[in-house]
Structures are given as C-alpha cells and as structure tokens.
Amino acid sequence: MNKEKRRRTFRAVAAGFLSAAMLVTGGCGSQHVGPPGTQGGGTIAVITKQELSFWDDVKLGAQDACDEFGYDMTYTVADGDNDYVTQIAAINDAINKKAKAIVIAPNSATDLNEALEKAIDSGIQVVIINSSVEGQINSKIVSKIASSDTDGGTVAAKNALNAYKSKKGDLAGIGKIGIVGHTAGTAEERISGFISRMTKGIANAKGIEVPEDNAYAAMAAAAMGGAAQGGPAAAAAQGGAAAAAAQGGAPVTTAPVVTEPVETTTTVPYEMLSDLEKAQLMVAEHEEQVKADQERELANIKKNFVQTERCAKVDEAREATKKLLGTDGNGFSVLYATNTNTTLGVCEAVEELGLGGKIVIVGFNSDEEELGYIRRGVLDGVIIQNPYVMGYVGVRYAKQAVTGASVGKQLDTGVTFVNANNMNDDYIMLMLYPDKY
C-alpha cells in the first residue's frame, strides 16, 4: 500500500475512534494553546519504549501524521520497557531543541514526571501513548491514547478459555495457568483482567457463582437482598454462626429497636420462634454454607494461577517458562504472556520442550516471529492494540494542542484478538502490516 492510500485508510479508522470518543465525552475536551509563534510547523518529538515491530508501527503512524500536518519528527527509542533514563535524555533534548510537542510512551509511571513538568513549563505540549504516568502531572498532559490493558487481559482470557475448550473440552478439568508478565506498568492490569475473566469462566463451568464484577450491579444486588430480609425473622436470621447455635437451642440475638441512645439487645429463645422464623433461620444457615463453599472453590481456582518473576527480555521469559514447565508441562494447561518479549520467550520454551499444541498459549502484540508461532500451531493467538493509530492520533492530538484546538483527554484505541482463523482477513492484515498491505 502506498503512503497516501495508507494515510487515507488509517485516517478513516482514526476518525471512527475519534467519533466514538466524542460520543462518549459529549464532545468535551481540554483546550491547550501553545505560546505565540507556535501555530503550525516545527518539530514533534516521538519517544517510545524499545526496538520491536510494535513500536515500528507506532513510528510509522507518527511519521505519516507529521508529514500530513507539516511537522518534522525526531524519534527516540529506549533500550527496554524499564529504561526511563534514555527517555529523560530525549525529553531534555526536545526542550533544548524547542520542540512544539512530545508524544511519549513512558517507561515509568513516576520517574519521568520531573522532566515532563520541565517540558510542559517550557511550553511543550505532551501527549501520552500506550502507558500511563501518575500524579498531578496528569492534569497538565494533553491526552492519553492507549488501549485498555484490563480489556486486553479480559479478551485474552476469553479466547484462552475458548481455545482450551476446543482442544480439551471440559473447562472444569483445566489445570494450572502460568502467567509470564513483563516489567512495565501495563502488565498489572493485563494480568488482573486476565485472572478475573479466567476465574469466572472456570467457576461457571464448575457451577460456582462468581460475585458481580460491576460495582453498580453489585450494590443493586446488595440493596435487593437487604430489602428482602425485612421483618423480625430476618433480624434473627443474620449470620451463619448464630443460626448454627440456634439449631441447638441456644438463644438468638435479634436487632434491637432503639428509641433512646442506649445499648440493648433482646434475646429470643429458639423454641419461641414461629415455624416460619425457624425455617428462615435454616435457609439463612444453608445460604451461608453455600457461600462459604463457593468461596473455598474460588480460592482453589485462584491457586491454579502461577506467576513468574517479571521478565524484560526474551531469554528471561524463556528460562522462566522452562522453570514452570519442567520437562513434561508440569500440569499447566494455559500460558499467558503480556507483551512481545514474554510471548516470544514462552513460545521458544514450549517449542524447545516439544510441547507445542499441547498447552494453550495466548500473548500480546504482532511481531512477525509471534505470527510465525501462530502459523505453526504453537501460539493460539495474540492481542493486538492498533499501534499505527496510537502513533498517528498521538501526533494529530499534539498538533491540535499546539494550534489551540480542543483535544479529548483520553482515547481508547481498542484491542483485537488475532489467531489462525482470522489473521488473513483484510482488516487484520491492515493492522498487522500497515506499511505493506
């Protein structure tokens, strides 16, 4: 695909994301105005994390946007996803060269803050992509453009469950689940989203009710439960321990009716309760027992998740995976890796041990080596994050801020699961090969 056609195609994709963001935010955004003399042209510094194809695609999107909007681009890539020293030097260089904007994927949530503050104070507009910074500096950042790491983990888990069912059948019999996380902060939410969705899927297969993830739904359920507990019997029915004691004839403490600010309780002997109240006590005791049993089952499911030490490099992830698997797989049914390097390390270990196709593996990003593992049946699929759009929209937002236009505070670029079944689809090919397809 030639450059102009690629730009048109991805401009359409980016426009879809931006339109969706406007609908969610009601068209609201923050307005950033550059200092006098900054209206158009100049340099935008793009700073990324490490030498990987993911960041090559980010660079491609950023360069296309700079060409389109008439800006020069300086590009700096750090030596790894925990190398913030190189990034600080690049920020200072952008300040010294009077760049109009910085588009950066931060390698630390806090260590870059001082340098970024200095850049912003000097009049440089700062856009964050892919990962986050913490603290008050967020109020000064133009925008954050990234996919949801929690959603990425959730989608990875959903597809890992589907892959396991396709290969093995019954989820109730799933074995251990290994997690090989990378060192950057994005790993945390990718892992928590994965564990939450995997736990729910396995629990449902075993007939276990999982507490509602949605906080509002949980509060509504609690309120409904509370309303259903009205009446004197409900007061007596609180707590499994009290109910258990009541079955043996011990007195039951009920909720007092307080008319004065004094502490008092009323005890009602079990034999004085009505048949209905006794039945309610038995139901309450049974529900408490079921809840306790389910909590024990959930705890047992969560014990099956085994995390390695965080890994920055492919060889670290390979050795960590081999340590997990031993020589025969060591009872692991699923392996989850949270970035390119950990995915490649996991796949190398599994292939080296001759376990390809025997363990479900789900990873992140779309390096050509990862795609090769998918084609060979070692890797069941990867989560991709649309890096071209991150780079393109990052520069677009920077340009808007420099010229005083309103900018959305946050944009979710979404996640997509790629496997052997869809990797040759046109839209997937466009995201995998934005410079060629």
Side-chain angles (χ1 to χ4, degrees):
M1 179 182 288
N2 65 48
K3 180 179 286 189
E4 185 53 39
K5 186 176 180 182
R6 180 175 70 239
R7 284 181 190 164
R8 289 198 304 269
T9 303
F10 275 104
R11 274 202 298 268
V13 174
F17 285 119
L18 295 171
S19 298
M22 291 292 283
L23 287 172
V24 171
T25 62
C28 298
S30 56
Q31 189 172 46
H32 293 255
V33 181
T38 63
Q39 306 300 304
T43 298
I44 294 177
V46 178
I47 305 168
T48 63
K49 294 189 172 189
Q50 57 183 321
E51 290 282 2
L52 289 172
S53 60
F54 179 93
W55 299 109
D56 291 340
D57 290 344
V58 169
K59 179 183 179 183
L60 184 64
Q63 185 65 68
D64 279 357
C66 281
D67 291 346
E68 179 181 345
F69 300 126
Y71 286 83
D72 295 324
M73 184 179 84
T74 62
Y75 182 75
T76 303
V77 56
D79 290 332
D81 61 16
N82 55 2
D83 172 22
Y84 60 84
V85 175
T86 297
Q87 293 192 325
I88 289 174
I91 294 168
N92 289 330
D93 185 60
I95 295 170
N96 293 334
K97 292 180 178 177
K98 302 187 184 307
K100 299 294 180 65
I102 293 172
V103 177
I104 183 170
N107 271 339
S108 170
T110 56
D111 291 299
L112 300 172
N113 287 10
E114 183 177 346
L116 290 174
E117 286 268 11
K118 183 180 175 183
I120 293 168
D121 290 345
S122 71
I124 295 176
Q125 305 295 328
V126 175
V127 175
I128 298 294
I129 60 172
N130 182 254
S131 46
S132 302
V133 289
E134 296 175 357
Q136 294 182 348
I137 193 170
N138 277 298
S139 64
K140 300 180 181 181
I141 296 296
V142 170
S143 185
K144 176 187 173 183
I145 301 162
S147 62
S148 165
D149 290 311
T150 301
D151 287 351
T154 301
V155 173
K158 178 181 177 181
N159 285 280
L161 292 167
N162 289 339
Y164 182 84
K165 284 190 289 186
S166 296
K167 288 183 176 182
K168 306 289 185 180
D170 187 10
L171 281 176
I174 199 167
K176 290 186 285 188
I177 301 158
I179 299 173
V180 185
H182 63 293
T183 53
T186 51
E188 299 298 333
E189 291 182 358
R190 292 179 189 180
I191 290 171
S192 65
F194 179 81
I195 290 176
S196 177
R197 184 64 181 85
M198 285 291 288
T199 300
K200 186 172 183 177
I202 297 167
N204 287 343
K206 294 185 175 184
I208 302 167
E209 183 179 348
V210 179
E212 181 58 60
D213 288 334
N214 184 304
Y216 295 104
M219 285 189 287
M224 291 290 290
Q229 296 294 325
Q238 297 302 315
Q247 295 292 354
V252 177
T253 301
T254 63
V257 177
V258 179
T259 57
E260 309 240 12
V262 295
E263 294 184 6
T264 180
T265 58
T266 302
T267 57
V268 179
Y270 178 74
E271 59 270 15
M272 292 183 63
L273 296 175
S274 68
D275 289 344
L276 175 59
E277 289 169 332
K278 290 176 181 178
Q280 288 175 324
L281 283 172
M282 292 179 66
V283 169
E285 181 184 30
H286 174 72
E287 288 178 348
E288 287 293 328
Q289 185 61 51
V290 169
K291 182 179 178 181
D293 290 344
Q294 290 184 341
E295 287 176 350
R296 280 194 292 271
E297 286 290 339
L298 282 174
N300 287 334
I301 291 171
K302 290 178 179 178
K303 287 179 183 177
N304 281 339
F305 291 93
V306 183
Q307 294 192 46
T308 68
E309 293 291 327
R310 297 298 168 84
C311 304
K313 299 183 182 300
V314 174
D315 58 347
E316 294 172 358
R318 181 183 64 246
E319 295 308 311
T321 304
K322 289 169 69 174
K323 186 175 179 181
L324 279 183
L325 299 179
T327 57
D328 60 356
N330 199 23
F332 280 88
S333 296
V334 176
L335 294 173
Y336 171 54
T338 59
N339 77 343
T340 301
N341 283 344
T342 54
T343 302
L344 292 175
V346 167
C347 290
E348 283 186 13
V350 167
E351 197 166 56
E352 185 177 322
L353 293 169
L355 298 173
K358 299 178 182 178
I359 299 174
V360 171
I361 305 174
V362 174
F364 254 83
N365 300 330
S366 55
D367 186 89
E368 190 58 37
E369 286 188 67
E370 293 175 277
L371 301 179
Y373 282 118
I374 292 176
R375 295 184 185 102
R376 295 202 297 276
V378 176
L379 179 60
D380 290 274
V382 290
I383 300 295
I384 63 173
Q385 307 170 75
N386 219 331
Y388 181 97
V389 168
M390 284 186 196
Y392 180 89
V393 177
V395 168
R396 176 172 171 169
Y397 271 18
K399 172 258 184 184
Q400 287 178 253
V402 167
T403 56
S406 180
V407 178
K409 193 64 178 174
Q410 185 164 334
L411 178 67
D412 185 343
T413 56
V415 295
T416 302
F417 185 73
V418 175
N419 63 12
N421 295 326
N422 70 359
M423 65 188 301
N424 293 318
D425 293 353
D426 285 346
Y427 179 63
I428 300 298
M429 290 291 283
L430 181 61
M431 289 194 288
L432 294 178
Y433 303 107
D435 58 332
K436 299 174 183 177
Y437 192 74

